[in-house]
Amino acid sequence: MAVQKTAEPRSSRTAQAAEADEAATGPERLMAAELADEIEFLTARARSVGSGRANIALKELDLRVRSYSVLSLACSDLNPSQRELADFLSLDPSQIVALVDELERRGAVTREADPRDRRSKVIAATPEGRQLYKQAFALVRTSEEHSLGELSLEERGQLRALLRRIAFKSAD
Amino acid sequence: MAVQKTAEPRSSRTAQAAEADEAATGPERLMAAELADEIEFLTARARSVGSGRANIALKELDLRVRSYSVLSLACSDLNPSQRELADFLSLDPSQIVALVDELERRGAVTREADPRDRRSKVIAATPEGRQLYKQAFALVRTSEEHSLGELSLEERGQLRALLRRIAFKSAD
DNA sequence: CGTATACCATTGATAAAGTCAACAGATTTT
DNA sequence: AAAATCTGTTGACTTTATCAATGGTATACG
């Protein structure tokens, strides 16, 4: 269950030597290991390759998956507060501060005082932010398509439903 | 698609105020957002809560998910090299060095020279390492059970199969 | 053969992400 | 109104991630 790396592994796989020796040294010989059956390991690896690809794709907009997520929620017309963003994205509030700082500096989002609770600040997207999100979404879309390419629409629906249940378990 | 945090969010959710105002301020109000439908976001969040819990559980053995993963593969009798570990776990080779260093220092694994290729080193578990893995596996098991609790065995099978396909796409 | 090229483990530098404690201002509780 | 709690923020500090460079091996190939 490790799998944290977020960028593309620079694997090469030139070596087809030592393959006819006694065990097929395939690229993923270790899939036979017990670990490869653990759902949480597979989840970790899936997200690693996925967000790795997405980060590369987003680089041309000078965004990362994290800032994209914040921007996306800011564009959602749900008027999220920073605390809500932190909870939803499983990030520390202080990390949200940095992310919003940068998006705000770029003119993509604004911090607006919440009339109901002057402690909290709701994050809203500017027109420029929405325009940026549009482009970013397209890139992420393509990247995701690349990652999920083999899955049918139905399978994607299944996967989404299953993941939602483990990603948003109410109390525990 | 952010969701990197690996430890337990210290959420509180006392506030049931402002709920009868105009929008139900539920814990996960933002699930209505577009982002919440993205499989890669859900994957990221699922792994975040999962590995967060697992890390807490493993703390009593002074292990983390990363070192557990290495230990697990070392116990697999597949004699993985460090390079294979890096590829499989999506970690940089230099990170593997550090992980193996620590496990070796604890006497859980050993680096053995590969007779076929003296560049690479095969990681093998010691008896103590296997003993440690046994305990760790039990902890991870419980933790995972906690995370996947709502899913039936059949659903877990589906999820595993789907994840495997996106986690191990051959070439791209 | 011998030399160029690629590979593995390792080190070290640097950037990014995660964790935690503390604080000011605002709100809720009692 | 005092105590307790919450929100965003800052700052310190640890862990991960990324990347370049190196010494010892191995492979390719002329």
Side-chain angles (χ1 to χ4, degrees):
Chain A
M1 294 152 48
V3 187
Q4 244 88 3
K5 193 180 183 185
T6 228
E8 216 64 345
R10 27 177 155 99
S11 57
S12 319
R13 294 295 155 217
T14 306
Q16 58 250 61
E19 72 177 19
D21 221 332
E22 62 171 349
T25 302
E28 251 49 296
R29 191 174 66 91
L30 301 184
M31 284 220 283
E34 194 172 30
L35 185 67
D37 282 333
E38 290 188 24
I39 286 179
E40 298 204 324
F41 161 73
L42 295 170
T43 304
R45 183 167 162 126
R47 93 96 203 185
S48 179
V49 308
S51 74
R53 238 191 296 264
N55 269 326
I56 297 179
L58 285 171
K59 202 177 293 183
E60 79 177 62
L61 292 179
D62 206 16
L63 283 175
R64 328 208 74 242
V65 171
R66 318 169 65 92
S67 34
Y68 163 79
S69 302
V70 170
L71 180 57
S72 171
L73 292 169
C75 290
S76 73
D77 296 324
L78 291 170
N79 297 315
S81 72
Q82 295 189 194
R83 158 57 73 180
E84 287 177 311
L85 292 177
D87 286 348
F88 197 67
L89 299 177
S90 305
L91 294 174
D92 192 87
S94 60
Q95 297 179 281
I96 301 292
V97 171
L99 290 167
V100 172
D101 275 353
E102 174 165 343
L103 288 174
E104 192 179 38
R105 192 175 43 71
R106 289 179 61 167
V109 307
T110 61
R111 281 182 238 245
E112 297 178 1
D114 184 346
R116 321 243 197 260
D117 186 341
R118 288 194 339 236
R119 285 174 301 183
S120 82
K121 303 178 181 172
V122 306
I123 307 305
T126 64
E128 295 81 6
R130 292 183 187 279
Q131 165 62 17
L132 177 61
Y133 173 60
K134 211 170 187 172
Q135 304 175 58
F137 183 76
L139 292 178
V140 169
R141 194 68 144 160
T142 309
S143 166
E144 186 173 275
E145 191 55 42
H146 201 195
S147 291
L148 308 182
E150 297 188 357
L151 302 193
S152 71
L153 280 186
E154 187 186 353
E155 287 168 330
R156 295 181 197 198
Q158 286 180 16
L159 181 55
R160 180 163 32 236
L162 291 168
L163 284 174
R164 217 189 316 254
R165 285 167 61 191
I166 71 179
F168 288 102
K169 276 207 350 134
S170 46
D172 39 302
Chain B
M1 298 150 47
V3 187
Q4 244 88 1
K5 192 177 180 188
T6 227
E8 216 63 342
R10 31 178 153 95
S11 58
S12 320
R13 294 293 156 217
T14 307
Q16 58 249 63
E19 72 176 23
D21 219 331
E22 62 171 349
T25 301
E28 252 48 295
R29 189 175 67 92
L30 301 184
M31 283 220 284
E34 195 173 30
L35 185 66
D37 281 334
E38 291 188 23
I39 286 180
E40 299 204 323
F41 162 73
L42 295 170
T43 304
R45 182 164 164 129
R47 93 97 203 187
S48 179
V49 308
S51 72
R53 240 192 293 265
N55 270 327
I56 297 178
L58 285 171
K59 203 177 291 182
E60 78 178 63
L61 292 180
D62 204 18
L63 283 176
R64 331 209 69 238
V65 171
R66 314 167 66 90
S67 33
Y68 162 79
S69 301
V70 170
L71 180 58
S72 170
L73 293 168
C75 290
S76 73
D77 296 324
L78 291 170
N79 298 315
S81 72
Q82 295 189 194
R83 158 56 73 180
E84 286 176 312
L85 292 177
D87 286 348
F88 197 67
L89 299 176
S90 305
L91 294 174
D92 192 87
S94 61
Q95 296 179 282
I96 301 292
V97 171
L99 291 168
V100 172
D101 276 352
E102 174 165 346
L103 288 174
E104 192 179 38
R105 192 175 42 72
R106 291 179 60 168
V109 306
T110 60
R111 281 182 237 243
E112 297 177 1
D114 184 345
R116 321 244 196 259
D117 186 341
R118 287 191 343 231
R119 285 175 302 182
S120 82
K121 301 179 183 172
V122 179
I123 307 305
T126 65
E128 295 81 7
R130 292 183 188 279
Q131 166 62 18
L132 178 61
Y133 173 61
K134 210 170 186 171
Q135 304 175 58
F137 182 76
L139 293 178
V140 168
R141 194 69 143 159
T142 310
S143 166
E144 185 172 276
E145 190 54 42
H146 201 195
S147 291
L148 308 181
E150 296 189 357
L151 302 192
S152 70
L153 280 186
E154 187 187 353
E155 287 168 330
R156 295 180 197 198
Q158 285 180 16
L159 181 54
R160 181 165 29 236
L162 291 169
L163 284 174
R164 219 192 311 256
R165 286 168 59 193
I166 71 180
F168 289 103
K169 276 207 349 133
S170 44
D172 38 303

